[in-house]
Amino acid sequence: MKPGHGEILLAEGDPRVEEDEERLIEEFRRQLDEGMWAAVPTTQPGSGRREAQLVKDFADIPIEAERVIFFPRASGG
Amino acid sequence: MLFALLALALIALVLAAPLIAGAIERRRENRPPRRRGTGGLEELSLYDPGRERRAEQRARELLRSCVNEEEWSMYRDLGFIRVAGRHARRESDKRTGPAYAYLVYPHKPIVAYVPASGQLLSEYCVEFPDLTGAGGRQRLPASDDVLAKWMALTSDEDRVIRRANLHLVGRQHDPARVRRDLWRLAEWERRRGSRSEIQQKSR
């Protein structure tokens, strides 16, 4: 998510493919270095409740995750 | 005599019109591009009135794909989303529902309230500024703002609440309006509940 633009596709690929994984990790780190928060939307298996999981490291991203959403860090308004 | 000359001139003009139009067109095509001032107008980013609308449309689709069906319908119909608070005061709260909840509005503070009594607790003023510095004072599309708050609250409620500026309800929100929203929410849930009841009976 980018102010003034909304959703922008930063990178896509299959993390099981080495080349793609490197590119995805690089983009992940770049976004976090710029101060963005990264979240993965998840669904709880039992209740079906939706929520987000904040991830700080590429390795924390659940294997089944289809996307990671980067959004600006929250600050007091 | 004069009338005849005028008629002849008119006929000649009509006959020559395609030739004149062709000559003007050729001259336009051959003309070098007009010189512009320093910086060039083409370098300026022109205001696109549809950009914000398209960004908002994309943001709505993204929000819809992340939240559940009830939350999406709530946002679509009422303009805000309710997120349950994670902390329980007593063990019994876990069984009876959340002790407190939040109303998430686009580009307005998050409102905390007690679902059981409707008591308004506080406003949490939070925003998601452009960190790159390139965006100036631009902000997220409305639905992205709601999604960012939803993600922040459902993933790490304590962190977002710590970062927010806390005020009593009334600083940016009109308390009467928030109470009205809670009434609208209750009505919405009642109608939704009775609708699903009817659907279940008809099966």
Side-chain angles (χ1 to χ4, degrees):
Chain A
M1 292 178 199
K2 185 173 167 58
H5 292 83
E7 182 191 348
I8 296 171
L9 178 66
L10 296 166
E12 60 182 338
D14 185 347
R16 288 169 300 187
V17 179
E18 195 177 333
E19 206 175 281
D20 284 3
E21 189 188 25
E22 279 174 18
R23 205 162 33 83
L24 293 171
I25 290 173
E26 192 182 325
E27 188 57 42
F28 183 88
R29 286 183 182 151
R30 195 173 68 83
Q31 290 300 316
L32 261 55
D33 287 346
E34 283 183 7
M36 303 290 268
W37 279 351
V40 178
T42 60
T43 305
Q44 282 187 359
S47 61
R49 178 184 163 148
R50 300 266 183 105
E51 57 187 20
Q53 179 188 335
L54 280 186
V55 282
K56 293 173 184 167
D57 195 284
F58 191 82
D60 296 340
I61 300 171
I63 298 166
E64 68 278 7
E66 291 179 352
R67 60 194 163 166
V68 178
I69 300 172
F70 298 95
F71 60 107
R73 195 183 295 173
S75 66
Chain B
M1 181 66 181
L2 184 64
F3 181 74
L5 279 173
L6 277 172
L8 273 174
L10 193 62
I11 290 165
L13 191 66
V14 169
L15 289 172
L19 294 173
I20 295 167
I24 290 171
E25 191 60 35
R26 277 194 299 279
R27 193 173 166 175
R28 250 189 214 162
E29 283 169 6
N30 295 333
R31 188 189 295 170
R34 225 177 244 179
R35 287 188 66 190
R36 301 183 193 278
T38 49
L41 275 178
E42 67 274 16
E43 287 173 16
L44 295 175
S45 57
L46 296 174
Y47 173 68
D48 176 4
R51 195 181 77 179
E52 285 176 18
R53 191 175 51 78
R54 289 192 300 274
E56 174 57 20
Q57 193 56 42
R58 285 197 302 272
R60 284 178 77 85
E61 288 304 317
L62 183 64
L63 176 64
R64 188 178 189 171
S65 70
C66 292
V67 300
N68 67 25
E69 195 274 329
E70 186 194 27
E71 287 169 324
W72 166 251
S73 303
M74 195 184 289
Y75 181 65
R76 184 196 57 206
D77 298 344
L78 304 173
F80 57 84
I81 286 181
R82 178 190 50 204
V83 176
R86 293 295 179 90
H87 301 293
R89 284 175 303 178
R90 294 178 289 268
E91 196 57 33
S92 61
D93 286 341
K94 290 176 183 170
R95 290 190 298 272
T96 56
Y100 63 99
Y102 301 102
L103 296 181
V104 177
Y105 293 88
H107 298 308
K108 276 194 170 183
I110 297 165
V111 176
Y113 74 104
V114 180
S117 62
Q119 184 193 356
L120 305 181
L121 297 173
S122 44
E123 284 185 11
Y124 294 97
C125 198
V126 63
E127 58 183 24
F128 300 90
D130 190 359
L131 300 167
T132 60
R137 289 186 61 81
Q138 287 181 330
R139 56 186 193 172
L140 291 173
S143 300
D144 271 352
D145 185 70
V146 169
L147 178 58
K149 286 170 182 160
W150 178 86
M151 289 196 294
L153 279 174
T154 58
S155 61
D156 195 343
E157 177 187 339
D158 292 343
R159 177 153 70 160
V160 72
I161 292 305
R162 265 200 316 272
R163 283 173 172 261
N165 286 332
L166 169 68
H167 301 287
L168 289 173
V169 178
R171 187 179 167 94
Q172 286 194 51
H173 279 287
D174 175 5
R177 175 110 193 228
V178 178
R179 285 193 192 96
R180 187 168 164 269
D181 282 344
L182 288 177
W183 176 81
R184 286 171 63 221
L185 176 59
E187 282 298 297
W188 181 84
E189 287 187 310
R190 191 179 59 76
R191 281 200 305 273
R192 197 176 152 85
S194 55
R195 205 181 304 146
S196 63
E197 222 169 78
I198 291 165
Q199 281 172 350
Q200 278 174 358
K201 279 179 187 171
S202 66
R203 278 176 196 159

